[in-house]
Amino acid sequence: MTQRVLLLKTWTDIDSAMVVPPLGLMSLSAYVKQQLPHTQIRLLDLGLKPAPISAYREQIADFQPDVVGITAMSFEATTVQETATYLKRHFPTTQVVLGGPYPSSDPEGALANPAVDLLVLSEGEITFVELLRQLEQGVHRPEIAGLAYLRDGQFHRTPARPYIQDLDTLPFPDWDIIDLEAYYDKPRFHFFYAHRRYATLLTSRACPYACIYCHQIFGKKFRARSPENVLAEMRMLYESKGIREAQILDDTFNLQRARAGRLLDLIADSGMKWALSFPNGLRGDLVDDGFLAKMKRAGTYKVAYAIETATPRLQTLIRKNVDLPKLADVIRMTDRHGIITHGFFMFGFPTETLAEVRATVDYALASRLHFAGFYFVNPYEGTELAALIRQ
């Protein structure tokens, strides 16, 4: 019997919620289709037509999924658990599987809900495919790497799954499983953009830095797709989907500057006319004038720099360790290249004083940033920051 798999992106009712192509689920879909071509797979993004999961009951019933895989960010934990409860109540034989930062960072908390059957921890493609094979054979609590579940009411975690070292071996995300047109007029990573027709891209995984507020879903060893592999995906999107803007979401796109520079050169010399933005934050103190020139030539019009705090004491505490004077110079250089800059800042780190808050605001105002976003610190479970505040 053909296995039916529903991949689900939940909807969170917050003002700042963005609705962008769900690359994680699209990557799962592509890998499942490659490895298990007999599987029927669908993707449902509730953010496109915001409504509780109950509004989709008939649509889900028509498909009758054997497995529902839900991606979950930490701030979506409540919504995800409510969704799991609803699904198990109305589709009791369906296996409910959670993946993403929330279950990877707080697996015991995620499994406190009896409606959740299994967790796929950390990087999900290989684990999810192996899980589907086991479920198809009737093994509901398999001993494969990268899972967590309850066994006889007790939390059980299988050995960690090794990270995928050669990302070029993965297929491109499944761009055919979503309606790209439906995303163009939804809130994206900034309130202005160069082209309506856009796509999000990940060219690397993991970040080797030690910021205490970050999740570590992809580990600490930086792994990157080859520039040629990324360009091939961009050409496919450009020619077959009519995409003209790429929002690159890497944690540390420019960690390997030679590799990043080669990709930018390939884009610039490709004959394609791209608009590029980096809304997730470049590592600013690794940027120099030559790199900015390559970014501009490739079509970059906007970048974000994650500064977080303007006091050296807190930079040390949170282990961001940004060179603040150097970053101010980089922001000025970026402006001189005609690239729009956005700065990220956070308030509320442990022991932060009012004077330090004001110093951060003053730094932003004195800089050549065009935009600045100020956010409250959230000590998400599984981060070092969460452990620190418990001390």
Side-chain angles (χ1 to χ4, degrees):
M1 185 175 68
T2 300
Q3 197 172 32
R4 295 180 301 276
V5 177
L6 176 65
L7 300 177
L8 183 64
K9 179 74 175 72
T10 58
W11 165 64
T12 301
D13 185 16
I14 58 175
D15 292 339
S16 61
M18 296 167 291
V19 184
V20 299
L23 286 178
L25 294 183
M26 292 159 61
S27 294
L28 285 183
S29 175
Y31 196 68
V32 170
K33 287 181 176 180
Q34 181 191 76
Q35 300 295 318
L36 305 172
H38 61 283
T39 302
Q40 290 186 37
I41 190 163
R42 293 186 186 177
L43 193 154
L44 182 59
D45 187 344
L46 273 57
L48 291 174
K49 295 180 180 178
I53 187 65
S54 57
Y56 293 86
R57 180 177 178 180
E58 184 175 337
Q59 186 175 342
I60 297 170
D62 286 343
F63 184 50
Q64 284 295 312
D66 301 297
V67 179
V68 177
I70 308 174
T71 186
M73 298 291 285
S74 292
F75 70 88
E76 299 171 314
T78 299
T79 302
V80 167
Q81 292 289 9
E82 291 171 351
T83 299
T85 299
Y86 181 89
L87 288 169
K88 186 61 72 172
R89 180 185 305 125
H90 295 282
F91 306 96
T93 62
T94 297
Q95 291 289 296
V96 176
V97 182
L98 302 189
Y102 162 49
S104 297
S105 300
D106 185 18
E108 294 190 58
L111 283 170
N113 181 358
V116 176
D117 295 297
L118 296 139
L119 308 181
V120 170
L121 304 177
S122 195
E123 200 167 51
E125 288 91 350
I126 296 175
T127 303
F128 192 60
V129 163
E130 290 188 7
L131 173 61
L132 292 179
R133 287 195 178 107
Q134 294 286 300
L135 292 175
E136 197 171 27
Q137 295 169 15
V139 182
H140 286 172
R141 296 294 183 271
E143 266 306 307
I144 61 173
L147 295 180
Y149 48 81
L150 296 183
R151 173 184 285 173
D152 299 325
Q154 300 299 311
F155 176 79
H156 178 70
R157 184 171 188 162
T158 66
R161 168 78 55 183
Y163 293 108
I164 301 167
Q165 296 305 309
D166 185 358
L167 298 182
D168 285 5
T169 62
L170 294 174
F172 299 152
D174 187 358
W175 291 99
D176 292 327
I177 202 172
I178 64 170
D179 176 11
L180 256 174
E181 185 74 30
Y183 289 89
Y184 295 150
D185 296 321
K186 295 294 183 181
R188 54 182 85 173
F189 285 99
H190 210 278
F191 50 82
F192 69 90
Y193 43 87
H195 292 283
R196 179 173 176 269
R197 303 182 67 85
Y198 83 104
T200 47
L201 293 178
L202 269 175
T203 81
S204 66
R205 294 181 177 181
C207 174
Y209 292 98
C211 304
I212 66 173
Y213 48 83
C214 276
H215 292 299
Q216 305 294 335
I217 187 170
F218 287 133
K220 302 301 293 180
K221 183 181 177 182
F222 181 80
R223 294 162 290 129
R225 297 165 61 186
S226 68
E228 292 76 13
N229 178 267
V230 177
L231 189 73
E233 182 182 5
M234 295 180 73
R235 188 171 294 282
M236 178 275 293
L237 291 168
Y238 193 92
E239 294 178 351
S240 68
K241 305 293 185 184
I243 302 300
R244 294 297 181 266
E245 176 170 339
Q247 297 190 337
I248 297 177
L249 307 183
D250 297 32
D251 288 328
T252 48
F253 172 80
N254 58 328
L255 182 72
Q256 296 176 349
R257 281 185 285 185
R259 173 253 175 198
R262 173 162 172 74
L263 174 56
L264 293 169
D265 287 342
L266 288 176
I267 295 169
D269 296 335
S270 68
M272 299 181 285
K273 300 298 181 183
W274 280 96
L276 304 180
S277 65
F278 293 81
N280 208 40
L282 293 172
R283 183 74 191 192
D285 48 10
L286 296 180
V287 171
D288 58 22
D289 196 66
F291 189 78
L292 287 167
K294 288 178 180 288
M295 293 182 71
K296 184 67 175 179
R297 196 169 78 92
T300 302
Y301 73 94
K302 180 167 64 69
V303 302
Y305 293 126
I307 303 147
E308 318 306 8
T309 177
T311 60
R313 183 186 77 84
L314 288 177
Q315 285 286 337
T316 299
L317 174 71
I318 67 175
R319 297 213 297 276
K320 179 79 177 183
N321 294 321
V322 162
D323 183 330
L324 292 164
K326 181 178 180 180
L327 188 50
D329 288 339
V330 167
I331 293 167
R332 283 191 289 271
M333 280 192 291
T334 309
D335 178 47
R336 286 199 298 269
H337 280 273
I339 298 173
I340 297 166
T341 56
H342 185 103
F344 293 133
F345 300 92
M346 290 195 281
F347 296 145
F349 290 112
T351 74
E352 185 173 24
T353 66
L354 180 58
E356 288 170 323
V357 169
R358 288 173 173 160
T360 295
V361 174
D362 290 343
Y363 182 96
L365 292 174
S367 74
R368 294 293 296 171
L369 289 170
H370 298 93
F371 299 91
F374 299 90
Y375 306 90
F376 291 117
V377 173
N378 282 302
Y380 289 121
E381 197 64 49
T383 64
E384 288 189 52
L385 180 60
L388 177 63
I389 66 170
R390 291 194 180 99
Q391 294 178 0

